[in-house]
Amino acid sequence: WLANNGGATSSDICNTSAIVWTHDYSPGDENTGCGASGSVLVTFTATDNCGLQSTTSATITIVDTTPPTMDVSASDQTVECDGLGNVAQLNAWLSSNGGASASDVCSAVTWSNDFVALTDDCGATGTRLVTFTATDDCGNFTTTTATFTIEDTTVPSIDTPASDLNLECDNANQQAAIDAWLANNGGATSSDICNTSAIVWTHDYSPGDENTGCGASGSVLVTFTATDNCGLQSTTSATITIVDTTPPTMDVSASDQTVECDGLGNVAQLNAWLSSNGGASASDVCSAVTWSNDFVALTDDCGATGTRLVTFTATDDCGNFTTTTATFTIEDTTVPSIDTPASDLNLECDNANQQAA
């Protein structure tokens, strides 16, 4: 354009071919606006061979209406939750414009973004679609978008496993001990890097699951599950074991019984005494009590009398037992009865025959 004198032409009546063109432009004179844009008035001077001059002026105008070129678009980034908002990773991603790069043929590029905050998802997770804007010195801009995501894929850690619970069978109190153990998650503890305070514990125990053995004894494996705020789970298991090693309690000991001989073995009285366990009673905290005794027969004393020391045994469902002893006695304290009194004998004295009579 300068070489062509901005398109200007000139003639001189004296010697057109001797006209010399000059101008007052210097490189960069036009850079008076944003970036490399702007304008400058250039004066072209036509000088003839005699030094006479004429001028014409025109303006160079540089405009910048072209936005920067997005050479590399922003990329999504997903990070594992650290429970603190992953601030360092988020800030690094934002300050790198999500990995985007842009260039502009006219000026430098300035970056900005519209990030405000992550969504409030489970635990300390969240996401945000961010628009990164590359702006040149003249306000032309181009954008690229990408998403920053904090996710939780890490299950809670079991810091302390559940511990077994071993109890002596006691129907009255053992459920309270089990309930306390369950409420404490069997002693287990758990933490979660994304939100420890939100861990919820559950278990698969149902009352009576442990009653698989004799009486109310037995065992059951209980699984405790720790669930974090994002639904991720870890488990730990422990066993409830109920044993019964305690014999029944003898509440009332057996009592001796002595009966007067009836000549027939006093069978009814003996059987009633045996069936009542000699009057003894026993109880067991874990199960019912079964009675037995070691009676075989009375001793063979005078007449139909006799005696026997009997051991009565109270046994629970697990074979634990306790005993009490007592004696059954048939005695004879009754003198013979005189059913017909004796009659007098009257004889005539006769030494030879009276003794025989």
Side-chain angles (χ1 to χ4, degrees), residues 32-101:
T32 57
C34 58
S37 67
S39 65
V40 62
L41 181 67
V42 179
T43 299
F44 295 91
T45 301
T47 304
D48 66 13
N49 206 22
C50 294
L52 300 169
Q53 297 178 328
S54 293
T55 61
T56 181
S57 298
T59 301
I60 297 173
T61 301
I62 309 297
V63 296
D64 183 4
T65 60
T66 303
T69 299
M70 192 63 66
D71 303 314
V72 178
S73 297
S75 298
D76 296 339
Q77 184 167 348
T78 298
V79 297
E80 186 67 18
C81 178
D82 67 2
L84 301 173
N86 298 80
V87 175
Q89 292 164 300
L90 173 60
N91 287 342
W93 183 74
L94 291 173
S95 63
S96 71
N97 308 306
S101 63

Side-chain angles (χ1 to χ4, degrees), residues 12-222:
D12 186 78
I13 195 169
C14 189
N15 189 353
T16 296
S17 61
I19 293 175
V20 175
W21 284 94
T22 57
H23 59 74
D24 62 357
Y25 170 79
S26 294
D29 283 350
E30 74 282 6
N31 300 144
T32 57
C34 58
S37 67
S39 65
V40 62
L41 181 67
V42 179
T43 299
F44 295 91
T45 301
T47 304
D48 66 13
N49 206 22
C50 294
L52 300 169
Q53 297 178 328
S54 293
T55 61
T56 181
S57 298
T59 301
I60 297 173
T61 301
I62 309 297
V63 296
D64 183 4
T65 60
T66 303
T69 299
M70 192 63 66
D71 303 314
V72 178
S73 297
S75 298
D76 296 339
Q77 184 167 348
T78 298
V79 297
E80 186 67 18
C81 178
D82 67 2
L84 301 173
N86 298 80
V87 175
Q89 292 164 300
L90 173 60
N91 287 342
W93 183 74
L94 291 173
S95 63
S96 71
N97 308 306
S101 63
S103 57
D104 190 80
V105 295
C106 194
S107 66
V109 172
T110 301
W111 284 93
S112 61
N113 64 69
D114 65 352
F115 177 80
V116 179
L118 296 172
T119 56
D120 185 16
D121 296 343
C122 60
T125 66
T127 186
R128 177 64 63 191
L129 177 67
V130 178
T131 298
F132 295 94
T133 301
T135 306
D136 66 17
D137 285 351
C138 292
N140 302 299
F141 63 90
T142 189
T143 62
T144 179
T145 58
T147 299
F148 188 87
T149 301
I150 300 176
E151 66 179 5
D152 182 7
T153 63
T154 304
V155 298
S157 64
I158 300 297
D159 303 319
T160 305
S163 299
D164 294 339
L165 176 65
N166 298 307
L167 297 173
E168 181 71 22
C169 183
D170 180 353
N171 275 329
N173 301 305
Q174 73 187 36
Q175 191 59 51
I178 292 172
D179 290 343
W181 182 76
L182 292 171
N184 193 40
N185 309 310
T189 61
S190 177
S191 60
D192 188 76
I193 195 168
C194 197
N195 192 350
T196 295
S197 63
I199 291 175
V200 175
W201 283 94
T202 56
H203 59 75
D204 61 356
Y205 170 82
S206 294
D209 281 353
E210 73 282 2
N211 300 144
T212 56
C214 57
S217 68
S219 65
V220 62
L221 182 68
V222 178

